Amino acid sequence: MTATLSRPAEGGQAQRLLPNRPAAPRRNYNHLLVTAASFAAVMLTSVSLSGVIFGWTWFMPVLVTVGTVLFFMALTRLSRLPSYCVPLVGLLALAGSLIWQFFPSQSTLGIFPGDGFTGRLTILLGRAENTVISQVAPVLPTAGLFLVVCAGIGLIAILVDTLATTLRMPATSGLALLAVLVVPAVVRINSVGVPSFIAAVAGFLILLGCAHWREARQDSDSSSELSGAHLSRGMTIGVLALAIAVVLPLGIPGFNSGVFPQGARVNLWGTATGLNPVVTLGNDLRNPNGFGRIEYATTATEPLYLRSVTLEDFSGQRWEPDQRLGQRVAGVDEMFSDGQPGGETTFTRITTDSFTSPWLLSPYAPLSIRGLRGQWAYDPGNLSILAIDGGSTAEQDYLVESIEPVLTKERLERIPPVNPESVEEKFLALPSSLPSVISNTTAEVVEGISNPYDQAIAIQSFLRGPSFVYSVDAPVDGGYDGNSLDVMARFLESRSGYCVHYAGTMAVMARLAGIPSRVAVGYSPGSPTGTQFLGPDGTEFTEFSVNSKDAHAWPELYFEGLGWVQFEPTPSRGVVPDYAITTLSPANPSVNSDNLNPSTAEVPESTAAPFPDADEEQAAKAERDSAERSSTLGGVLGLLLVLLALTPLALRQMRTERRRRSVTGNTRGVGAATVAWAETVELAADYRMPPLPTDTPRTFEQRLRARLDDAAAAALSRLRRAYEEEEYAEFAGADARPTNSWDDVESVTRALSQSASVPARVRARFWPQSLWQPFGAQRSEDVAGSSRT
């Protein structure tokens, strides 16, 4: 209130509520509520990402990022810096938050870029790109993906708060929130989904409501002129519009999956190629948490490799599965392959849980599959199975009948070199610009060996030899992570990599030796769960489980009359088949310098191939450090938010305590009545009974008495009478005397609290209106304080 009033005219004309005093400038904190609403709107809209990224591990980094950005933007406004500084501070806070969370070892003081920052940034962005390109929603969470998501949502938070708070354009800020919803609408088959859509709209309505409240407070000093009917009508219209948006599509043909807009109708990049496991494998293996659990139970005597797809074209910079839609046969109830011989039949029941891919997992070679949902088609050339209706493997439970060829070392040794006309040309094709290190190495490894099986064993032994090291991080650090021929060349030079590099290199070397080859991608056998059960016909099934840490790639080589045969060139990973295990041979030590089954023979300490645990542990430690820093920052930010939320309560309590001491410790009584009346008026305002601009002390008392019992009403009358005498009566200070006015203040306080609802009590205590609309009795408090001294 800023009204300045004079003493009463002669004749006893009623006085205004406040005496004639110069109005002190008041700070406005209403923008804090709009910033808090911006935070709620951004986080509620971000809920839609739960269907894009698997799980909720992304939520805390996003919460920390958005909270940090908006906290410092609000702090800048409180500091009364120029408005253009607010988004600049938000950008700096965003950068500092991202560095703190994702670059702990490449930063200075935790928030400034340091040594190695650019290199790690390149790596993280590369991993995020691979995830986006190679996976279908929900994608597996990685640090690189989290970095991109946090940066994007942080920028949207800056834009929303700037539009809604600084520029006072809350409706326009909805366009920034819309950008978040576009992501699931584009990449998810079922679009945003009703719960996520409702959450986003609710966040937007909260933002609009709080912005309207702020504008109403800005236009009027009286709470009676606030939001009222306008806000109620606006919220009602918003809720009705939300209900129509959710319900109406249910009655429109074609709109039958999700809301805003139908995801199946919005796809900016055409049909998703789905999982490119070769690109994804590195991210999967570097993930210490093992996402995407899959269980399979099989009648086979040994655990199985689960194959998803094969890679056959080695001529490009990025090898990808060829969908070959024109060659596929719809339906998987009965399958046949080109030239696949007979063998032992096994049955395998697979439960995919959260594993998401358009390529179906199965043991090789599948004969029939039962229990699948959706439409699937298989390729007779490689028996890969692809969803042709936009579906995926997620939450599938199906039974695979497969045939496993009976392979022995002796049988393979009798196979002559393949006739090039008996297999497709693509399985032997190589580009003319093959790196020389690959061709030279192959020539050295297979020199003097003519038998295809012996050549394959020589290549496998060379790659599993002591000069090669298994590492999921070395290719990233060395800048050759990927699956092109140039990457294979770098791998042979550095001799450090993971299954993608070993499998691809063996396949290329086999083709140089004249053996048709391809790379299979899927999962290594995994671990037994300890569960066994009997099938309907009494057959015993043994259960195993795999996850992203078991993601694997291996080469398959073609042998005339036997078909495609699996090999295992990656040291310390997978299982070397019995037919591929061989003893050391002194004839060619450069080739056969490794026992192909490390678990069956001792390897000299100086030549032992490193086990991947050290690399995985190092990657896991980096991920844990990043998660801990996010949690620490989240804890600090949460504590700051709690303290900020409690600040109004603390400030109000401090003011009340200062007034109490001013009244009870005032021996002369000068100014005590005014201080007590100021506390009473502000208490009424806290309980939503503020004085009106036209109120006199008497009219204010009459309105407030309706909320009080008799004792409190009497106390209020004494407070009002003492205030009038002290402020307006002539020579009041001459006979001022101490009073028990603070007891009367407490009596009124108790009555107001008892007559209020629980929400009103909480609001009065934790968000007191009087902090923003003080009585303005500071002069009286100063007078009372000076009287004590």
Side-chain angles (χ1 to χ4, degrees):
M1 296 170 164
T2 59
T4 58
L5 307 169
S6 61
R7 290 183 177 277
E10 294 184 6
Q13 182 179 351
Q15 300 297 327
R16 299 290 292 278
L17 182 63
L18 293 179
N20 188 17
R21 306 209 167 102
R26 250 191 348 227
R27 300 190 67 174
N28 191 314
Y29 300 98
N30 296 335
H31 61 83
L32 294 177
L33 184 61
V34 182
T35 296
S38 299
F39 174 79
V42 172
M43 293 309 302
L44 285 172
T45 307
S46 299
V47 169
S48 61
L49 296 179
S50 62
V52 177
I53 306 173
F54 176 70
W56 286 89
T57 53
W58 59 270
F59 189 79
M60 179 55 72
V62 170
L63 180 71
V64 168
T65 303
V66 175
T68 301
V69 167
L70 296 184
F71 174 80
F72 281 99
M73 292 178 71
L75 198 62
T76 304
R77 292 190 182 96
L78 288 175
S79 302
R80 297 193 173 183
L81 293 174
S83 58
Y84 63 81
C85 293
V86 177
L88 296 179
V89 170
L91 291 172
L92 292 176
L94 174 59
S97 174
L98 296 177
I99 292 172
W100 175 277
Q101 295 182 81
F102 300 104
F103 302 89
S105 301
Q106 296 82 26
S107 62
T108 303
L109 300 179
I111 57 174
F112 300 103
D115 294 338
F117 172 81
T118 303
R120 178 163 174 79
L121 176 62
T122 302
I123 292 172
L124 291 179
L125 293 179
R127 293 179 182 177
E129 178 188 6
N130 288 339
T131 300
V132 171
I133 291 176
S134 62
Q135 297 188 33
V136 293
V139 300
L140 297 179
T142 64
L145 185 63
F146 285 177
L147 171 64
V148 173
V149 170
C150 288
I153 299 297
L155 290 173
I156 288 174
I158 294 173
L159 183 58
V160 169
D161 190 52
T162 300
L163 289 171
T165 308
T166 303
L167 301 179
R168 299 176 182 247
M169 301 167 60
T172 307
S173 67
L175 295 175
L177 298 175
L178 190 66
V180 180
L181 292 180
V182 167
V183 176
V186 168
V187 303
R188 291 183 59 192
I189 293 299
N190 292 329
S191 188
V192 175
V194 173
S196 298
F197 183 68
I198 292 176
V201 174
F204 183 51
L205 292 177
I206 290 172
L207 179 58
L208 288 179
C210 291
H212 178 83
W213 181 89
R214 175 198 182 187
E215 295 302 322
R217 293 301 296 260
Q218 196 76 13
D219 294 339
S220 174
D221 288 333
S222 173
S223 62
S224 64
E225 299 177 17
L226 294 183
S227 38
H230 290 294
L231 181 57
S232 298
R233 285 195 295 269
M235 297 297 286
T236 301
I237 293 173
V239 172
L240 289 176
L242 172 61
I244 293 173
V246 172
V247 176
L248 185 61
L250 300 179
I252 300 177
F255 287 84
N256 51 16
S257 59
V259 293
F260 169 73
Q262 301 305 295
R265 314 299 193 270
V266 180
N267 194 332
L268 302 182
W269 297 290
T271 303
T273 59
L275 175 67
N276 180 350
V278 165
V279 177
T280 308
L281 267 177
N283 291 336
D284 291 344
L285 295 173
R286 283 184 286 267
N287 192 324
N289 298 318
F291 286 94
R293 178 181 172 89
I294 302 165
E295 294 180 348
Y296 71 92
T298 181
T299 60
T301 56
E302 298 291 337
L304 302 173
Y305 280 66
L306 298 181
R307 194 183 68 153
S308 174
V309 70
T310 60
L311 309 174
E312 299 150 4
D313 182 3
F314 296 164
S315 61
Q317 290 300 309
R318 187 193 297 272
W319 308 339
E320 297 182 2
D322 187 351
Q323 297 187 46
R324 289 206 289 266
L325 297 178
Q327 302 178 25
R328 292 191 173 271
V329 178
V332 291
D333 292 342
E334 294 185 7
M335 302 168 60
F336 66 92
S337 63
D338 296 339
Q340 179 65 41
E344 297 180 356
T345 301
T346 61
F347 292 89
T348 305
R349 180 178 178 180
I350 301 175
T351 304
T352 58
D353 195 13
S354 60
F355 173 75
T356 303
S357 170
W359 304 93
L360 192 72
L361 289 172
S362 73
Y364 187 75
L367 297 177
S368 68
I369 300 178
R370 302 284 193 275
L372 273 178
R373 300 190 312 273
Q375 300 180 25
W376 301 81
Y378 72 95
D379 182 356
N382 57 24
L383 292 179
S384 65
I385 305 165
L386 177 67
I388 56 177
D389 61 350
S392 77
T393 61
E395 304 296 336
Q396 295 274 7
D397 188 349
Y398 52 96
L399 182 68
V400 181
E401 179 185 1
S402 60
I403 186 169
E404 185 178 3
V406 178
L407 300 174
T408 63
K409 174 183 176 182
E410 292 74 20
R411 189 177 183 185
L412 288 167
E413 284 179 328
R414 292 195 296 268
I415 303 298
V418 67
N419 181 358
E421 296 181 357
S422 63
V423 294
E424 295 184 53
E425 182 181 355
K426 64 182 178 182
F427 294 113
L428 285 168
L430 287 171
S432 57
S433 58
L434 191 69
S436 59
V437 65
I438 300 179
S439 55
N440 293 339
T441 301
T442 303
E444 294 176 4
V445 170
V446 300
E447 183 180 3
I449 304 175
S450 59
N451 182 272
Y453 169 77
D454 292 336
Q455 290 175 333
I457 291 296
I459 297 171
Q460 178 183 263
S461 300
F462 168 71
L463 294 173
R464 293 183 65 90
S467 61
F468 282 85
V469 175
Y470 180 93
S471 174
V472 295
D473 290 320
V476 176
D477 297 337
Y480 61 91
D481 194 21
N483 57 335
S484 67
L485 290 175
D486 290 337
V487 169
M488 298 300 102
R490 293 283 303 278
F491 165 70
L492 285 176
E493 293 171 350
S494 62
R495 304 202 172 188
S496 182
Y498 52 92
C499 55
V500 167
H501 308 96
Y502 286 95
T505 301
M506 181 169 180
V508 172
M509 294 175 69
R511 290 190 181 187
L512 283 170
I515 307 174
S517 66
R518 65 190 184 191
V519 172
V521 184
Y523 290 88
S524 58
S527 306
T529 64
T531 300
Q532 293 182 328
F533 58 89
L534 296 179
D537 58 351
T539 306
E540 185 177 84
F541 284 76
T542 303
E543 188 178 70
F544 299 83
S545 69
V546 298
N547 56 41
S548 62
K549 292 189 292 186
D550 299 303
H552 195 46
W554 62 92
E556 292 180 346
L557 276 55
Y558 184 81
F559 288 84
E560 196 83 53
L562 292 180
W564 294 97
V565 177
Q566 169 191 325
F567 286 84
E568 185 54 87
T570 306
S572 305
R573 302 292 291 184
V575 178
V576 179
D578 292 339
Y579 55 79
I581 298 176
T582 184
T583 57
L584 298 178
S585 172
N588 193 346
S590 64
V591 174
N592 295 315
S593 58
D594 176 46
N595 187 317
L596 296 181
N597 192 343
S599 62
T600 62
E602 294 184 1
V603 180
E605 184 176 352
S606 60
T607 62
F611 196 72
D613 286 351
D615 296 303
E616 294 181 0
E617 180 60 27
Q618 184 178 5
K621 183 177 183 301
E623 296 289 345
R624 287 194 300 269
D625 289 344
S626 178
E628 289 174 1
R629 294 175 73 87
S630 295
S631 299
T632 301
L633 186 58
V636 173
L637 182 61
L639 179 61
L640 290 175
L641 291 176
V642 170
L643 293 176
L644 185 63
L646 296 177
T647 297
L649 169 65
L651 293 176
R652 186 68 177 89
Q653 290 292 99
M654 291 170 59
R655 179 190 293 178
T656 299
E657 181 61 21
R658 187 173 65 250
R659 286 172 171 167
R660 186 191 66 79
R661 291 197 304 267
S662 175
V663 172
T664 58
N666 190 339
T667 57
R668 296 180 55 204
V670 177
T674 301
V675 173
W677 181 251
E679 180 68 15
T680 304
V681 173
E682 290 187 5
L683 277 169
D686 292 343
Y687 285 97
R688 295 303 187 263
M689 286 290 291
L692 301 176
T694 57
D695 265 341
T696 66
R698 291 177 184 271
T699 58
F700 175 71
E701 175 194 352
Q702 291 172 1
R703 289 195 305 108
L704 191 57
R705 288 174 70 94
R707 296 274 298 272
L708 307 178
D709 54 30
D710 293 341
L716 178 63
S717 294
R718 290 192 294 270
L719 290 168
R720 187 265 306 162
R721 186 167 53 253
Y723 167 66
E724 287 180 334
E725 291 175 356
E726 183 171 85
E727 285 292 333
Y728 302 114
E730 293 189 39
F731 311 112
D735 58 351
R737 53 184 175 79
T739 66
N740 62 345
S741 57
W742 196 258
D743 293 336
D744 291 337
V745 172
E746 291 180 343
S747 177
V748 174
T749 302
R750 287 191 298 270
L752 287 172
S753 177
Q754 292 171 1
S755 64
S757 63
V758 173
R761 294 178 197 172
V762 173
R763 187 170 54 238
R765 191 166 183 82
F766 292 96
W767 193 256
Q769 182 176 326
S770 57
L771 283 181
W772 289 266
Q773 288 186 313
F775 178 81
Q778 183 63 42
R779 185 173 66 87
S780 296
E781 293 182 32
D782 293 341
V783 171
S786 64
S787 68
R788 292 196 302 271
T789 59

